Amino acid sequence: MKKLDTLLLKSFIGPFIATFAIALFVLTMQTLWVYIDDIMGKGAGLFLIMELISYLIVSLFPLALPLGVLISAVMVFGGMAENYELASFKSAGVPLIRILMPLAFVATGIGLFSFICSNYLIPITNLQFKSRLYDIRKQKPTLSLKAGIFNDDFVGYTIYIGSKEKDGKTINDVIIYDSKNSSSQGLSQLTAASGEMYMTEDNKYFIMNLFDGVRNQESARSFKSNDKTYPFVRTKFKEHKMIFDLSQFDISETDKDLFKTHQSVMSVDQLMVAIDSLGIKIEDKFNSLHKNMYQNYNYEKIRDTVLFKKRPVAPKRVNSKKLQNQSPEQIAKNKAQTARMDSIKATVEKRAPKSPKLKKILQLSENELDTARNFIYTFPINDRKQMFNRAKTGARSILSNSGSSQRSLEILQEKKVKHIFIMHTKVTYAMICIIFLFIGGSMGAIVRKGGFGYPLLVAVAFFVVFIVLTLACEKLAESNVFHAALAAWIPIIVLAPLAALITSKAMGESSFFQIPFIDKISALFKKG
């Protein structure tokens, strides 16, 4: 059995290294292609590009390792099944699960290495990659003065070159707009019939030596002055040299502390601390929102000056005998008030059977009912408008504060979900290496094809399922459909039973598609 284990290990290590390298190369090129527009044309040297690629390669280890395990397992066991080596082992009484055991230890070691990379190496490389990529993104493109195109690479200058000679140095019909000191000295325009451009020996300065030109200088305008005329200076020159500093095109290094709060640059311990901190922030935000809402809705603590105005008592119904001793204006006013109260009461009585609250109102006395339904009308008209305006302003303020708090809570909640998801995927990416070994070995025994064709097809199919499940579950977690921890483990929950099913089929030497339920359905179609 030791010879069998040694043979399997030797057969597995070589294909694994090759497939891991190929998978790492493909994933690196695919990811690097996303950032190609940010890197090219920014003056990034070969050393800096190789540095970025090295950081990117290390960050892709957790994806490339399970893919390498899957492809190499299908290749090794497919080749053994094709050459009837597995049949020989089984005839000797060695089951498939025993053949997979030494490779299971290797896959466990690969999974541990994947977790170590995810927890210790990748946070460092992601931090370096993000900071260096940010440096390149904010950097200006390399200096490129083309004929017939306005160029504004230099801060405060716009340069136009009519044509270039074949030597690449001699230029004609040059126009330069200088707005660098426009606030203090005014705008400046320089035109020249010809000139030459070159770099200094240390490549720190760019020189433009211009001939036969004119410089038009406008004085600075004073907005405090009432004078509408301004002096204008025109200077002719035979030769004029302009020197531009090229240090603004050098790539500077950004402080890496700016990126240390991102979840991809944290270890498990740091993620746990960050998750607790985000939970405290979310709780504080909820408490602050609750406090603000309580202050807005607690009328006992809000001292609205309108509510404390002296208002008349709710009018009672006036007896017809008393109307005789009042003025005509007062009589008309009281009749209108009585008619309005009767109309309100009729409406309440009509809707009362459908509303328990209105039934309760009907049990009040007549004066209490009038006061409850006509409270706002007991105030003067000017006070009513003021109360309505205050109510609208308060409602808008509450709505605005609620919306702002809701958005900030959603951002904090999304950050917390991402932190939890990343923390759990560090473990799931390690465990999938073991599951892929059993899937790959069993599929190789079922397919019975070695080489690189069928194994690659089978491996890519299962790997795509894993990636699609991971990405879909991440989106579902961010949408609060699943808890972030559960969403991270769903790919394992789905693929682990599938690995057990495929392994049992391979051990029983039956086809993967020979499932009793499917066989019964196919038999019904054959009878039909």
Side-chain angles (χ1 to χ4, degrees):
M1 296 303 296
K2 291 183 178 179
K3 291 183 178 180
L4 173 62
D5 296 341
T6 304
L7 174 64
L8 285 172
L9 291 175
K10 289 181 178 179
S11 302
F12 181 79
I13 295 299
F16 170 72
I17 294 175
T19 53
F20 170 69
I22 294 172
L24 195 60
F25 174 78
V26 173
L27 292 173
T28 302
M29 290 297 103
Q30 181 185 6
T31 308
L32 189 63
W33 190 256
V34 177
Y35 304 106
I36 196 69
D37 292 335
D38 299 323
I39 297 174
M40 294 294 105
K42 295 295 185 70
L46 179 62
F47 178 77
L48 180 56
I49 294 177
M50 295 303 297
E51 182 184 359
L52 282 176
I53 292 176
S54 63
Y55 294 147
L56 187 59
I57 286 174
V58 177
S59 66
L60 291 173
F61 273 13
L63 279 177
L65 286 171
L67 183 57
V69 170
L70 182 59
I71 297 176
S72 56
V74 180
M75 288 177 62
V76 170
F77 282 86
M80 292 175 65
E82 187 178 12
N83 296 325
Y84 298 100
E85 294 176 358
L86 284 180
S88 301
F89 291 142
K90 291 180 181 179
S91 63
V94 182
L96 179 63
I97 194 69
R98 173 61 185 85
I99 301 173
L100 286 168
M101 277 300 111
L103 298 184
F105 286 107
V106 175
T108 304
I110 294 172
L112 290 175
F113 177 70
S114 174
F115 177 76
I116 291 172
C117 290
S118 298
N119 196 38
Y120 298 104
L121 295 180
I122 291 178
I124 299 174
T125 56
N126 281 342
L127 179 61
Q128 296 290 339
F129 179 80
K130 288 181 181 296
S131 61
R132 299 304 285 163
L133 183 63
Y134 176 78
D135 295 337
I136 295 175
R137 278 176 170 173
K138 74 175 184 178
Q139 185 58 36
K140 286 185 175 183
T142 54
L143 181 62
S144 178
L145 294 175
K146 297 181 180 180
I149 298 176
F150 285 93
N151 182 284
D152 57 353
D153 290 344
F154 292 106
V155 177
Y157 294 95
T158 302
I159 302 173
Y160 175 83
I161 297 175
S163 61
K164 278 186 182 181
E165 301 294 338
K166 293 182 179 180
D167 56 5
K169 294 177 60 178
T170 305
I171 53 179
N172 301 305
D173 301 327
V174 182
I175 303 175
I176 299 176
Y177 295 96
D178 182 4
S179 59
K180 191 172 185 180
N181 301 315
S182 59
S183 60
S184 59
Q185 300 178 7
L187 297 174
S188 175
Q189 181 194 38
L190 186 146
T191 59
S194 61
E196 60 179 358
M197 58 183 186
Y198 55 90
M199 300 279 191
T200 57
E201 293 181 358
D202 55 2
N203 291 327
K204 291 184 177 181
Y205 299 95
F206 174 72
I207 311 296
M208 293 187 73
N209 199 14
L210 305 175
F211 307 104
D212 299 328
V214 177
R215 182 185 183 92
N216 299 315
Q217 179 71 47
E218 182 186 50
S219 66
R221 298 184 178 184
S222 176
F223 292 99
K224 296 181 180 180
S225 175
N226 294 324
D227 191 3
K228 296 183 179 180
T229 61
Y230 305 94
F232 185 81
V233 180
R234 174 174 292 178
T235 306
K236 294 184 178 181
F237 60 85
K238 288 290 184 182
E239 182 178 355
H240 179 71
K241 184 178 290 186
M242 297 191 69
I243 302 174
F244 300 93
D245 188 6
L246 294 176
S247 60
Q248 57 185 295
F249 294 95
D250 296 335
I251 298 178
S252 58
E253 187 171 354
T254 306
D255 186 9
K256 296 180 180 59
D257 292 337
L258 298 174
F259 305 94
K260 285 188 176 180
T261 58
H262 197 269
Q263 63 271 8
S264 63
V265 301
M266 294 183 183
S267 61
V268 172
D269 296 336
Q270 293 171 336
L271 285 170
M272 293 177 68
V273 174
I275 291 169
D276 290 339
S277 301
L278 289 171
I280 294 172
K281 289 182 180 179
I282 292 172
E283 186 177 357
D284 292 342
K285 201 70 178 177
F286 269 117
N287 293 334
S288 176
L289 180 61
H290 178 267
K291 183 178 179 181
N292 292 334
M293 293 298 102
Y294 178 77
Q295 289 177 350
N296 282 302
Y297 285 110
N298 188 9
Y299 297 106
E300 295 180 357
K301 293 188 176 182
I302 297 178
R303 305 193 64 82
D304 194 332
T305 56
V306 175
L307 294 179
F308 287 89
K309 285 180 177 293
K310 186 176 181 180
R311 61 182 179 84
V313 180
K316 299 181 180 179
R317 290 183 179 273
V318 182
N319 196 342
S320 59
K321 294 181 179 181
K322 294 182 179 181
L323 294 177
Q324 297 175 359
N325 301 326
Q326 295 180 354
S327 63
E329 294 82 5
Q330 188 66 30
I331 293 174
K333 184 177 180 181
N334 289 335
K335 286 184 177 180
Q337 181 70 20
T338 303
R340 185 170 67 251
M341 288 188 294
D342 291 338
S343 176
I344 293 173
K345 185 176 179 181
T347 303
V348 171
E349 291 175 349
K350 183 178 181 181
R351 299 180 181 178
K354 300 180 181 179
S355 175
K357 293 183 179 180
L358 293 180
K359 288 181 179 180
K360 187 175 181 181
I361 291 175
L362 285 176
Q363 297 174 0
L364 300 176
S365 64
E366 186 175 294
N367 290 333
E368 289 174 337
L369 176 63
D370 294 335
T371 303
R373 300 302 297 175
N374 297 278
F375 177 77
I376 191 67
Y377 296 104
T378 61
F379 293 90
I381 295 177
N382 294 333
D383 290 345
R384 294 179 209 168
K385 292 181 179 179
Q386 189 177 2
M387 293 174 68
F388 281 130
N389 291 334
R390 284 177 178 269
K392 290 179 181 179
T393 303
R396 292 193 189 101
S397 176
I398 293 171
L399 184 61
S400 176
N401 293 334
S402 302
S404 176
S405 299
Q406 182 181 1
R407 287 189 294 269
S408 60
L409 279 171
E410 289 175 354
I411 293 173
L412 289 174
Q413 187 65 33
E414 185 178 353
K415 288 181 66 176
K416 184 179 178 181
V417 166
K418 289 181 178 179
H419 280 68
I420 296 174
F421 190 85
I422 288 291
M423 183 178 68
H424 284 272
T425 52
K426 293 179 184 293
V427 182
T428 57
Y429 278 2
M431 290 193 63
I432 200 65
C433 295
I434 304 172
I435 295 175
F436 274 170
L437 173 69
F438 285 93
I439 291 177
S442 303
M443 287 302 298
I446 293 173
V447 175
R448 298 180 182 179
K449 289 288 184 180
F452 204 74
Y454 279 100
L456 181 62
L457 180 62
V458 173
V460 167
F462 283 98
F463 186 74
V464 167
V465 170
F466 171 70
I467 294 297
V468 169
L469 282 174
T470 302
L471 296 177
C473 291
E474 182 179 4
K475 296 299 181 183
L476 292 174
E478 293 176 1
S479 303
N480 293 324
V481 177
F482 292 136
H483 189 272
L486 175 62
W489 284 92
I490 285 178
I492 301 295
I493 296 172
V494 172
L495 291 176
L498 184 60
L501 175 63
I502 297 174
T503 303
S504 65
K505 288 295 178 181
M507 291 177 64
E509 296 185 355
S510 61
S511 174
F512 176 67
F513 299 100
Q514 289 180 354
I515 301 175
F517 178 70
I518 297 179
D519 289 343
K520 291 179 180 180
I521 295 177
S522 60
L524 291 175
F525 278 104
K526 288 180 180 179
K527 290 180 180 179

